[in-house]
Amino acid sequence: MAGYNKLKGLLVERGIKQTEIANLLNLNRSRFNRIINGQGRELKTSEVSMICRHLNISADEYFFDR
């Protein structure tokens, strides 16, 4: 299972902590970390949508074109 490298890079670039996104999704930080590192389940469509709205990014660019 692939991780979400573009998303991780964007978070670092913007200085956004994983905890912020985990809280947005109502997940604990360690579970979110496992997900974006490809060690857990995939993000749900609703979660992708929430992240995109929060970060003002395109789902196509950050989630579906990996």
Side-chain angles (χ1 to χ4, degrees):
M1 185 180 303
Y4 296 91
N5 291 326
K6 281 185 97 169
L7 176 63
K8 291 189 299 186
L10 179 70
L11 296 179
V12 169
E13 180 180 303
R14 292 188 181 179
I16 298 170
K17 302 287 186 197
Q18 289 183 15
T19 303
E20 179 180 334
I21 304 302
N23 289 340
L24 174 74
L25 303 177
N26 200 30
L27 299 171
N28 67 45
R29 191 211 52 81
S30 63
R31 181 162 185 181
F32 178 68
N33 180 270
R34 286 192 306 272
I35 291 170
I36 65 170
N37 283 307
Q39 299 171 348
R41 64 170 175 80
E42 292 288 324
L43 287 168
K44 298 174 185 174
T45 304
S46 60
E47 294 169 331
V48 168
S49 180
M50 290 171 68
I51 292 169
C52 289
R53 281 194 309 272
H54 185 74
L55 299 176
N56 194 29
I57 60 173
S58 164
D60 287 336
E61 182 177 351
Y62 285 90
F63 295 96
F64 303 120
D65 188 32
R66 340 186 227 147

Coordinates of all heavy atoms in Angstrom, one line a residue:
M1 N 0.8 -1.2 0.0 CA 0.0 0.0 0.0 C 0.9 1.2 0.0 O 1.8 1.3 0.8 CB -0.9 0.0 1.2 CG -1.9 1.1 1.3 SD -2.9 1.0 2.8 CE -3.6 -0.6 2.7
A2 N 0.6 2.2 -0.9 CA 1.4 3.4 -1.0 C 1.0 4.4 0.1 O -0.1 4.4 0.6 CB 1.2 4.0 -2.4
G3 N 2.0 5.2 0.5 CA 1.7 6.3 1.4 C 1.3 7.5 0.7 O 1.0 7.5 -0.5
Y4 N 1.1 8.6 1.4 CA 0.6 9.8 0.8 C 1.8 10.8 0.8 O 1.8 11.8 1.6 CB -0.5 10.3 1.6 CG -1.8 9.4 1.5 CD1 -2.0 8.4 2.4 CD2 -2.7 9.6 0.5 CE1 -3.1 7.5 2.4 CE2 -3.8 8.8 0.4 CZ -4.0 7.8 1.3 OH -5.1 6.9 1.3
N5 N 2.8 10.6 0.0 CA 4.0 11.4 0.1 C 3.8 12.9 -0.3 O 4.4 13.7 0.3 CB 5.1 10.8 -0.8 CG 5.6 9.5 -0.3 OD1 5.7 9.3 0.9 ND2 5.9 8.6 -1.1
K6 N 3.0 13.1 -1.3 CA 2.7 14.5 -1.7 C 2.0 15.3 -0.5 O 2.4 16.4 -0.2 CB 1.9 14.6 -2.9 CG 2.7 14.4 -4.2 CD 1.8 14.6 -5.4 CE 2.0 16.0 -5.9 NZ 1.4 16.2 -7.3
L7 N 1.1 14.6 0.1 CA 0.4 15.3 1.3 C 1.4 15.5 2.4 O 1.4 16.6 3.0 CB -0.7 14.4 1.8 CG -1.5 14.9 3.0 CD1 -2.1 16.3 2.7 CD2 -2.5 13.9 3.5
K8 N 2.2 14.5 2.7 CA 3.2 14.7 3.8 C 4.1 15.9 3.5 O 4.5 16.7 4.3 CB 4.0 13.4 4.0 CG 3.2 12.3 4.6 CD 4.0 11.1 5.0 CE 4.8 10.5 3.9 NZ 5.5 9.2 4.2
G9 N 4.6 16.0 2.2 CA 5.5 17.1 1.8 C 4.8 18.4 2.0 O 5.4 19.4 2.4
L10 N 3.5 18.5 1.6 CA 2.8 19.7 1.7 C 2.6 20.1 3.2 O 2.8 21.3 3.5 CB 1.4 19.6 1.1 CG 0.5 20.8 1.2 CD1 1.0 21.9 0.3 CD2 -0.9 20.5 0.8
L11 N 2.4 19.2 4.1 CA 2.2 19.5 5.5 C 3.5 20.1 6.0 O 3.5 21.1 6.7 CB 1.8 18.3 6.3 CG 0.5 17.7 6.0 CD1 0.2 16.4 6.8 CD2 -0.6 18.7 6.2
V12 N 4.7 19.5 5.6 CA 6.0 20.0 6.1 C 6.2 21.4 5.5 O 6.6 22.3 6.2 CB 7.1 19.0 5.7 CG1 8.5 19.6 5.9 CG2 7.0 17.7 6.4
E13 N 5.9 21.5 4.2 CA 6.1 22.8 3.5 C 5.4 23.9 4.2 O 5.8 25.1 4.4 CB 5.7 22.7 2.1 CG 5.9 23.9 1.2 CD 5.4 23.6 -0.2 OE1 6.0 22.7 -0.8 OE2 4.5 24.3 -0.6
R14 N 4.1 23.6 4.6 CA 3.3 24.7 5.2 C 3.4 24.7 6.7 O 2.8 25.5 7.4 CB 1.8 24.4 4.9 CG 1.5 24.6 3.4 CD 0.0 24.5 3.2 NE -0.3 24.7 1.8 CZ -1.6 24.7 1.3 NH1 -2.6 24.4 2.1 NH2 -1.8 24.8 0.0
G15 N 4.2 23.9 7.3 CA 4.4 23.9 8.8 C 3.2 23.4 9.5 O 2.9 23.8 10.7
I16 N 2.4 22.5 8.9 CA 1.2 22.0 9.5 C 1.5 20.6 10.2 O 2.1 19.7 9.6 CB 0.1 21.8 8.5 CG1 -0.3 23.1 7.8 CG2 -1.1 21.1 9.1 CD1 -1.2 23.0 6.6
K17 N 1.2 20.5 11.4 CA 1.4 19.3 12.2 C 0.4 18.2 11.8 O -0.8 18.5 11.6 CB 1.3 19.6 13.7 CG 2.3 20.6 14.2 CD 3.7 20.1 14.2 CE 4.6 21.1 14.8 NZ 6.0 20.8 14.6
Q18 N 0.8 17.0 11.9 CA -0.1 15.9 11.6 C -1.3 15.9 12.6 O -2.4 15.5 12.2 CB 0.6 14.5 11.7 CG 1.5 14.3 10.5 CD 2.2 13.0 10.5 OE1 1.8 12.1 11.3 NE2 3.2 12.8 9.7
T19 N -1.1 16.4 13.8 CA -2.1 16.4 14.8 C -3.3 17.3 14.4 O -4.4 17.0 14.6 CB -1.5 17.0 16.1 OG1 -0.4 16.1 16.5 CG2 -2.5 17.0 17.2
E20 N -3.0 18.4 13.6 CA -4.0 19.3 13.2 C -5.0 18.5 12.2 O -6.2 18.6 12.3 CB -3.4 20.5 12.5 CG -4.4 21.4 11.9 CD -3.8 22.6 11.2 OE1 -2.7 23.0 11.5 OE2 -4.5 23.2 10.3
I21 N -4.4 17.8 11.3 CA -5.2 17.0 10.3 C -5.9 15.8 11.0 O -7.1 15.5 10.7 CB -4.4 16.6 9.1 CG1 -3.6 17.8 8.5 CG2 -5.2 15.8 8.1 CD1 -4.6 18.9 8.0
A22 N -5.2 15.2 11.9 CA -5.8 14.1 12.7 C -7.0 14.6 13.4 O -8.1 13.9 13.4 CB -4.8 13.5 13.6
N23 N -6.9 15.7 14.1 CA -8.0 16.3 14.8 C -9.2 16.6 13.9 O -10.4 16.4 14.2 CB -7.6 17.5 15.6 CG -6.7 17.2 16.8 OD1 -6.7 16.1 17.3 ND2 -6.0 18.2 17.2
L24 N -8.9 17.2 12.7 CA -9.9 17.5 11.7 C -10.7 16.2 11.4 O -11.9 16.3 11.2 CB -9.2 18.1 10.5 CG -10.1 18.3 9.3 CD1 -11.0 19.5 9.5 CD2 -9.2 18.5 8.0
L25 N -10.0 15.1 11.3 CA -10.6 13.8 10.9 C -11.1 13.0 12.0 O -11.7 11.9 11.9 CB -9.6 13.0 10.1 CG -9.0 13.6 8.8 CD1 -8.0 12.7 8.2 CD2 -10.1 14.0 7.8
N26 N -11.0 13.6 13.2 CA -11.4 12.9 14.5 C -10.6 11.5 14.6 O -11.2 10.5 15.0 CB -12.9 12.7 14.5 CG -13.4 12.4 15.9 OD1 -12.8 12.9 16.9 ND2 -14.5 11.6 16.0
L27 N -9.3 11.6 14.4 CA -8.4 10.4 14.6 C -7.3 10.8 15.5 O -7.0 12.0 15.6 CB -7.8 10.1 13.2 CG -8.7 9.6 12.1 CD1 -7.8 9.5 10.8 CD2 -9.3 8.3 12.4
N28 N -6.7 9.9 16.2 CA -5.5 10.2 17.0 C -4.4 10.4 16.0 O -4.4 9.8 14.9 CB -5.3 9.3 18.1 CG -4.9 7.9 17.7 OD1 -4.1 7.7 16.8 ND2 -5.5 6.9 18.4
R29 N -3.3 11.1 16.4 CA -2.2 11.4 15.5 C -1.5 10.1 15.1 O -1.1 10.0 13.9 CB -1.2 12.3 16.2 CG -0.2 12.9 15.2 CD 1.2 13.2 15.8 NE 1.7 12.1 16.6 CZ 2.4 11.0 16.1 NH1 2.6 10.9 14.8 NH2 2.9 10.1 16.9
S30 N -1.3 9.1 15.9 CA -0.6 7.9 15.5 C -1.4 7.2 14.5 O -0.8 6.6 13.5 CB -0.3 7.1 16.7 OG -1.4 6.6 17.4
R31 N -2.7 7.1 14.6 CA -3.5 6.4 13.5 C -3.3 7.2 12.2 O -3.2 6.5 11.1 CB -4.9 6.3 13.9 CG -5.7 5.5 12.9 CD -7.0 5.0 13.4 NE -7.6 4.2 12.3 CZ -8.8 3.7 12.4 NH1 -9.4 3.7 13.5 NH2 -9.2 3.0 11.4
F32 N -3.5 8.5 12.2 CA -3.3 9.3 11.0 C -1.9 9.1 10.4 O -1.8 8.9 9.2 CB -3.6 10.8 11.3 CG -3.4 11.6 10.1 CD1 -4.3 11.5 9.0 CD2 -2.3 12.5 10.0 CE1 -4.1 12.3 7.9 CE2 -2.2 13.3 8.9 CZ -3.1 13.2 7.8
N33 N -0.9 9.0 11.3 CA 0.5 8.8 10.8 C 0.6 7.5 10.1 O 1.2 7.4 9.0 CB 1.4 8.9 12.0 CG 2.9 8.7 11.5 OD1 3.3 7.6 11.5 ND2 3.5 9.8 11.1
R34 N 0.0 6.4 10.6 CA 0.0 5.1 10.0 C -0.6 5.2 8.6 O -0.2 4.6 7.7 CB -0.6 4.1 10.9 CG 0.3 3.7 12.1 CD -0.2 2.4 12.8 NE -1.6 2.5 13.2 CZ -2.0 3.0 14.4 NH1 -1.1 3.5 15.2 NH2 -3.3 3.0 14.7
I35 N -1.8 5.8 8.6 CA -2.5 5.9 7.3 C -1.7 6.6 6.2 O -1.5 6.1 5.1 CB -3.9 6.7 7.5 CG1 -4.8 5.8 8.3 CG2 -4.5 7.0 6.2 CD1 -6.1 6.6 8.8
I36 N -1.1 7.8 6.5 CA -0.4 8.5 5.5 C 1.0 7.9 5.2 O 1.6 8.2 4.2 CB -0.2 10.0 5.8 CG1 0.6 10.3 7.0 CG2 -1.6 10.7 5.9 CD1 1.0 11.8 7.2
N37 N 1.4 6.9 6.0 CA 2.7 6.2 5.7 C 2.4 4.9 5.1 O 3.3 4.0 4.9 CB 3.5 6.1 7.0 CG 4.2 7.3 7.3 OD1 4.9 7.9 6.5 ND2 4.0 7.8 8.6
G38 N 1.1 4.6 4.7 CA 0.8 3.4 4.0 C 0.8 2.2 4.9 O 0.9 1.1 4.4
Q39 N 0.6 2.3 6.2 CA 0.6 1.2 7.1 C -0.7 0.9 7.7 O -0.9 0.1 8.6 CB 1.6 1.5 8.2 CG 3.0 1.7 7.7 CD 4.0 2.2 8.8 OE1 3.5 2.6 9.9 NE2 5.2 2.1 8.5
G40 N -1.7 1.6 7.2 CA -3.1 1.4 7.7 C -4.0 1.4 6.6 O -3.6 1.2 5.4
R41 N -5.2 1.7 6.9 CA -6.3 1.8 5.8 C -6.1 3.0 4.9 O -5.3 3.9 5.3 CB -7.7 1.8 6.5 CG -7.9 3.1 7.3 CD -9.3 3.2 7.7 NE -9.6 4.4 8.6 CZ -9.7 5.6 8.2 NH1 -9.6 6.0 6.9 NH2 -10.0 6.6 9.1
E42 N -6.8 3.0 3.8 CA -6.8 4.2 2.9 C -7.7 5.2 3.6 O -8.6 4.9 4.3 CB -7.3 3.8 1.6 CG -6.4 2.9 0.8 CD -5.1 3.6 0.3 OE1 -5.2 4.7 -0.1 OE2 -4.1 2.9 0.3
L43 N -7.4 6.5 3.2 CA -8.3 7.5 3.6 C -9.7 7.4 2.9 O -9.7 7.0 1.8 CB -7.7 8.9 3.3 CG -6.6 9.4 4.1 CD1 -5.9 10.6 3.5 CD2 -7.0 9.7 5.5
K44 N -10.7 7.6 3.7 CA -12.1 7.6 3.1 C -12.3 8.8 2.2 O -11.6 9.8 2.4 CB -13.1 7.6 4.2 CG -13.0 6.4 5.1 CD -14.0 6.5 6.3 CE -13.8 5.4 7.3 NZ -14.6 5.6 8.5
T45 N -13.2 8.7 1.3 CA -13.5 9.8 0.4 C -13.9 11.1 1.2 O -13.5 12.2 0.8 CB -14.6 9.4 -0.6 OG1 -14.2 8.2 -1.3 CG2 -14.9 10.5 -1.6
S46 N -14.7 10.9 2.2 CA -15.1 12.0 3.0 C -13.9 12.6 3.7 O -13.9 13.9 3.9 CB -16.2 11.6 4.0 OG -15.7 10.6 4.9
E47 N -13.0 11.9 4.1 CA -11.8 12.4 4.8 C -10.9 13.2 3.8 O -10.4 14.2 4.1 CB -11.0 11.3 5.4 CG -11.7 10.6 6.6 CD -11.0 9.3 7.1 OE1 -10.4 8.6 6.3 OE2 -11.2 9.0 8.3
V48 N -10.8 12.6 2.6 CA -10.0 13.3 1.5 C -10.7 14.7 1.3 O -10.0 15.7 1.2 CB -9.9 12.5 0.3 CG1 -9.4 13.3 -0.9 CG2 -9.1 11.3 0.5
S49 N -12.0 14.7 1.2 CA -12.7 15.9 1.0 C -12.5 16.9 2.1 O -12.3 18.1 1.8 CB -14.2 15.6 0.8 OG -14.9 16.8 0.6
M50 N -12.5 16.5 3.3 CA -12.3 17.4 4.4 C -10.9 18.0 4.4 O -10.7 19.2 4.6 CB -12.5 16.6 5.8 CG -14.0 16.3 6.0 SD -14.2 15.2 7.4 CE -13.7 16.2 8.8
I51 N -9.9 17.1 4.1 CA -8.5 17.6 4.0 C -8.4 18.6 2.9 O -7.7 19.7 3.1 CB -7.5 16.4 3.8 CG1 -7.5 15.5 5.1 CG2 -6.1 16.9 3.5 CD1 -6.8 14.2 4.9
C52 N -8.9 18.3 1.8 CA -8.8 19.3 0.6 C -9.5 20.6 0.9 O -8.9 21.7 0.6 CB -9.5 18.7 -0.6 SG -8.5 17.3 -1.3
R53 N -10.6 20.6 1.6 CA -11.2 21.9 1.9 C -10.4 22.6 2.9 O -10.2 23.8 2.8 CB -12.7 21.7 2.5 CG -13.7 21.4 1.4 CD -15.1 21.5 2.0 NE -15.4 20.7 3.1 CZ -15.7 19.4 3.1 NH1 -15.9 18.8 2.0 NH2 -16.0 18.8 4.3
H54 N -9.9 21.9 3.9 CA -9.1 22.6 5.0 C -7.8 23.2 4.5 O -7.4 24.2 4.9 CB -8.8 21.5 6.1 CG -8.1 22.1 7.3 ND1 -8.8 22.8 8.2 CD2 -6.8 21.9 7.7 CE1 -7.9 23.2 9.2 NE2 -6.7 22.6 8.9
L55 N -7.1 22.4 3.5 CA -5.9 22.9 3.0 C -6.0 23.6 1.7 O -5.0 24.1 1.2 CB -4.9 21.7 2.8 CG -4.6 20.9 4.1 CD1 -3.7 19.7 3.8 CD2 -3.9 21.8 5.1
N56 N -7.2 23.7 1.2 CA -7.4 24.4 -0.1 C -6.6 23.8 -1.2 O -5.8 24.4 -1.9 CB -7.3 25.9 0.0 CG -7.8 26.6 -1.2 OD1 -8.8 26.1 -1.8 ND2 -7.2 27.7 -1.6
I57 N -6.7 22.4 -1.4 CA -5.9 21.7 -2.4 C -6.8 20.8 -3.2 O -8.0 20.6 -2.9 CB -4.8 20.8 -1.7 CG1 -5.4 19.8 -0.8 CG2 -3.7 21.6 -1.0 CD1 -4.5 18.7 -0.2
S58 N -6.2 20.3 -4.3 CA -7.0 19.5 -5.2 C -6.8 18.0 -4.9 O -5.7 17.5 -4.7 CB -6.4 19.7 -6.7 OG -6.8 18.7 -7.5
A59 N -7.9 17.3 -4.8 CA -7.8 15.8 -4.5 C -7.1 15.1 -5.6 O -6.3 14.2 -5.4 CB -9.2 15.3 -4.3
D60 N -7.3 15.5 -6.9 CA -6.7 14.9 -8.0 C -5.2 15.0 -7.9 O -4.5 14.0 -8.1 CB -7.1 15.5 -9.3 CG -8.5 15.2 -9.7 OD1 -9.0 14.1 -9.2 OD2 -9.1 16.0 -10.4
E61 N -4.7 16.1 -7.5 CA -3.2 16.3 -7.4 C -2.6 15.6 -6.2 O -1.5 15.0 -6.3 CB -2.9 17.8 -7.3 CG -1.4 18.1 -7.3 CD -1.0 19.5 -7.3 OE1 -2.0 20.4 -7.5 OE2 0.1 19.8 -7.1
Y62 N -3.2 15.6 -5.1 CA -2.6 15.1 -3.8 C -3.0 13.7 -3.4 O -2.4 13.1 -2.6 CB -2.9 16.1 -2.7 CG -2.0 17.3 -2.8 CD1 -2.5 18.4 -3.5 CD2 -0.8 17.3 -2.2 CE1 -1.7 19.5 -3.6 CE2 0.0 18.4 -2.3 CZ -0.4 19.5 -3.0 OH 0.4 20.6 -3.1
F63 N -4.1 13.2 -4.0 CA -4.6 11.9 -3.6 C -4.7 10.8 -4.7 O -4.5 9.7 -4.5 CB -5.9 12.0 -2.8 CG -5.8 12.8 -1.5 CD1 -6.1 14.1 -1.5 CD2 -5.3 12.2 -0.4 CE1 -5.9 14.9 -0.3 CE2 -5.2 12.9 0.8 CZ -5.5 14.2 0.8
F64 N -5.2 11.3 -5.9 CA -5.5 10.3 -6.9 C -4.4 10.2 -8.0 O -4.5 9.4 -8.8 CB -6.8 10.6 -7.5 CG -7.9 10.7 -6.4 CD1 -8.7 11.8 -6.2 CD2 -8.2 9.5 -5.6 CE1 -9.6 11.8 -5.2 CE2 -9.1 9.6 -4.6 CZ -9.9 10.7 -4.4
D65 N -3.4 11.0 -7.9 CA -2.4 11.0 -8.9 C -1.1 10.6 -8.3 O 0.0 11.3 -8.5 CB -2.3 12.4 -9.6 CG -1.4 12.4 -10.8 OD1 -1.3 11.3 -11.5 OD2 -0.7 13.4 -11.1
R66 N -1.1 9.6 -7.5 CA 0.2 9.2 -6.8 C 0.9 8.2 -7.6 O 0.9 7.2 -7.6 CB -0.1 8.7 -5.4 CG -1.3 9.0 -4.7 CD -1.3 8.6 -3.3 NE -2.6 7.8 -3.1 CZ -2.7 6.8 -2.3 NH1 -1.7 6.3 -1.7 NH2 -3.8 6.2 -2.1

